[in-house]
């Protein structure tokens, strides 16, 4: 497992999170800004990977934090060391809501032409712009996985959640989740195998 | 990568796929870096008004709930009262009065339906001696308007 680079937000220890969230809940603007800086990129990366549209991902990310702020400042959230699971559950639910909304509005004759939250061609071009070719291939391979496998990969590697947090969020036994993750990696390896052979 | 809640796990699903997992971490880092730099500022602006609303203390919240419950109970009581009044049912008689009336009827002291409700002191004494009174003679008799203006038995 690669170490996160120093310019990335580092997942904090539980004590740090507790005091930070307590201050944010009390309306401390600085603490709230820190919450946004710390978790914003992780939420955005997860949402962006699930909906492919950068503009929509920004909107959903903002609405997730508005929800979080509403709950926290109104005393509806009590910190018990599960903030991240809760935050990303809210994010996943918001993505699913959006997918359902888009599906309802989709043209019935050609549902396969538009994934529930597919981005525009401009989005795709922007996403591909400047990406390392290896990463671009990896991203394509992940996109070719079934939605359940994609979900685990995104939660693990984009949102930086632990396996326990993912199991909690998806309401699955830890063992089942680990096995699913292992199978997803296996499928990815199989998809990327020709590249590996080319290099050798 | 520091995922603090990882240990202990029964198996390592990334065993044998370390290079792939590492590449996925790099992809994740790239995706996180794609967040527009002004997104936190814009989000901050949207949540600004929420932050200035102080969180209610637990005790205050509890009192609010109690207040709500009391309001509902009061409204329900008023509603029942209104329904009773509209239905024309007579107001329930005073318990003391009912007891004394029953006592008087039992003692055959009252003159049937023409009785006008005024008992003289003699009848009152008889009632007072009956076991159906609860001992608070003054109160019971007062309720039945047994006293004259002088207020003496």
């Amino acid at each position: 497992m690669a170490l996160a680079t120093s310019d990335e937000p580092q997942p904090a220890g539980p004590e740090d999170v507790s005091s930070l969230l307590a201050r944010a809940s009390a309306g401390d603007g600085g603490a709230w800004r820190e919450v946004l800086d710390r978790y914003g990129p992780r939420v955005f990366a997860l949402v962006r990977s699930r909906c492919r549209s950068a503009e929509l991902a920004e909107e959903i990310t903002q609405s997730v934090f508005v929800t979080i702020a509403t709950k926290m400042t109104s005393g509806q959230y009590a910190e018990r060391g599960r903030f991240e699971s809760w935050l990303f559950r809210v994010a996943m639910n918001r993505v699913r809501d959006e997918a359902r909304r888009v599906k309802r509005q989709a043209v019935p004759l050609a549902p396969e032409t538009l994934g529930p939250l597919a981005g525009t061609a401009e989005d795709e071009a922007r996403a591909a712009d400047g990406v390392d070719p290896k990463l671009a291939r990896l991203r394509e391979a992940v996109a070719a996985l079934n939605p359940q496998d994609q979900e685990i990969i995104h939660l693990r590697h984009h949102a930086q959640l632990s396996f326990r947090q993912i199991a909690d969020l998806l309401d699955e036994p830890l063992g089942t989740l680990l096995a699913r993750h292992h199978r997803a990696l296996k499928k990815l390896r199989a998809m990327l195998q020709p590249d590996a052979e080319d290099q050798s | 990568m520091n995922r603090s809640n990882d240990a202990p796990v029964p198996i390592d699903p990334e065993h044998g796929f370390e290079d792939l997992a590492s590449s996925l971490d790099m992809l994740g880092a790239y995706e996180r870096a794609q967040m527009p730099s002004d997104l936190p500022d814009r989000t901050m602006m949207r949540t600004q008004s929420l932050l200035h609303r102080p969180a209610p203390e637990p005790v205050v919240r509890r009192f609010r709930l109690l207040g709500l419950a009391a309001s509902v109970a009061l409204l329900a009581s008023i509603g029942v009262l209104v329904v009773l009044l509209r239905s024309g049912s007579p107001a329930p008689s005073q318990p003391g009065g009912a007891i004394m009336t029953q006592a008087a009827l039992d003692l055959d002291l009252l003159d049937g339906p023409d009785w006008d409700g005024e008992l003289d002191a003699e009848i009152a004494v008889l009632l007072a001696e009956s076991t159906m009174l609860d001992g608070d003679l003054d109160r019971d008799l007062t309720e039945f308007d047994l006293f004259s203006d002088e207020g003496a038995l």
Side-chain angles (χ1 to χ4, degrees):
Chain A
M1 182 74 59
L3 290 172
T5 55
S6 57
D7 57 341
E8 291 171 7
Q10 296 294 312
E15 297 83 9
D16 292 339
V17 173
S18 295
S19 60
L20 177 66
L21 295 178
R23 286 192 291 126
S25 299
D28 182 334
W32 181 244
R33 177 62 199 225
E34 202 177 328
V35 169
L36 288 175
D37 288 339
R38 188 178 289 188
Y39 295 105
R42 293 167 64 187
V43 171
F44 176 81
L46 175 69
V47 174
R48 176 83 172 81
S49 66
R50 306 297 297 163
C51 75
R52 311 291 287 275
S53 159
E55 199 177 327
L56 186 57
E58 287 179 29
E59 176 56 34
I60 292 176
T61 301
Q62 286 193 55
S63 77
V64 166
F65 282 104
V66 168
T67 300
I68 296 293
T70 305
K71 301 272 185 195
M72 283 173 63
T73 56
S74 63
Q76 294 178 60
Y77 172 75
E79 166 60 8
R80 294 190 185 92
R82 304 176 92 170
F83 174 74
E84 292 190 13
S85 299
W86 174 55
L87 171 68
F88 287 99
R89 191 193 302 271
V90 171
M92 293 295 282
N93 287 343
R94 197 55 51 84
V95 169
R96 288 192 190 107
D97 289 346
E98 189 61 27
R100 274 196 289 270
R101 192 186 66 79
V102 172
K103 240 178 190 173
R104 279 200 300 272
Q105 295 174 354
V107 180
L109 289 175
E112 70 281 1
T113 59
L114 186 69
L117 292 173
T120 61
E122 191 185 337
D123 283 321
E124 295 298 327
R126 200 187 313 162
D129 191 31
V131 188
D132 181 276
K134 277 178 72 177
L135 289 185
R137 274 197 296 277
L138 183 57
R139 183 155 62 185
E140 284 169 20
V142 172
L145 292 171
N146 68 47
Q148 290 77 23
D149 289 342
Q150 282 186 49
E151 191 171 56
I152 292 180
I153 295 291
H154 291 148
L155 287 167
R156 174 72 177 169
H157 300 280
H158 291 45
Q160 295 182 288
L161 291 179
S162 71
F163 286 118
R164 281 193 193 285
Q165 287 172 322
I166 299 171
D168 185 32
L169 193 153
L170 298 179
D171 203 17
E172 279 193 9
L174 182 61
T176 306
L177 187 90
L178 293 171
R180 281 180 57 196
H181 186 258
H182 186 78
R183 279 199 298 273
L185 290 179
K186 215 169 178 178
K187 287 179 198 171
L188 276 178
R189 167 70 59 80
M191 288 181 200
L192 297 166
Q193 202 63 45
D195 292 339
E197 284 171 4
D198 287 346
Q199 284 170 4
S200 63
Chain B
M1 189 168 298
N2 174 22
R3 292 184 178 107
S4 53
N5 293 347
D6 272 356
V9 291
I11 58 167
D12 179 9
E14 291 170 359
H15 179 69
F17 296 98
E18 287 83 359
D19 54 338
L20 184 54
S22 174
S23 298
L24 285 166
D25 281 338
M26 284 171 62
L27 179 61
Y30 173 80
E31 301 289 9
R32 287 191 294 278
Q34 297 309 301
M35 186 185 80
S37 56
D38 64 338
L39 190 59
D41 290 330
R42 284 187 275 139
T43 310
M44 194 77 192
M45 283 171 67
R46 277 180 69 169
T47 54
Q48 203 75 41
S49 59
L50 296 168
L51 297 181
H52 293 130
R53 185 181 61 187
E57 293 297 318
V59 174
V60 173
R61 281 207 308 277
R62 206 166 296 141
F63 274 110
R64 277 185 191 168
L65 283 175
L66 280 174
L68 185 66
S71 305
V72 169
L74 184 64
L75 285 174
S77 306
I78 292 171
V80 168
L81 198 60
V82 167
V83 168
L84 280 175
L85 288 174
R86 285 194 168 184
S87 67
S89 55
S93 59
Q94 294 291 327
I99 290 170
M100 293 178 72
T101 304
Q102 187 60 47
L105 287 171
D106 290 343
L107 293 170
D108 200 20
L109 296 171
L110 302 179
D111 189 19
D114 294 328
W115 177 61
D116 61 4
E118 290 187 6
L119 297 176
D120 61 26
E122 188 181 341
I123 294 172
V125 170
L126 286 171
L127 286 174
E129 288 170 358
S130 105
T131 55
M132 300 186 77
L133 294 177
D134 60 5
D136 189 356
L137 181 61
D138 286 348
R139 182 178 63 80
D140 291 329
L141 297 182
T142 303
E143 283 175 358
F144 222 42
D145 195 22
L146 292 173
F147 288 96
S148 62
D149 289 338
E150 292 80 23
L153 183 62

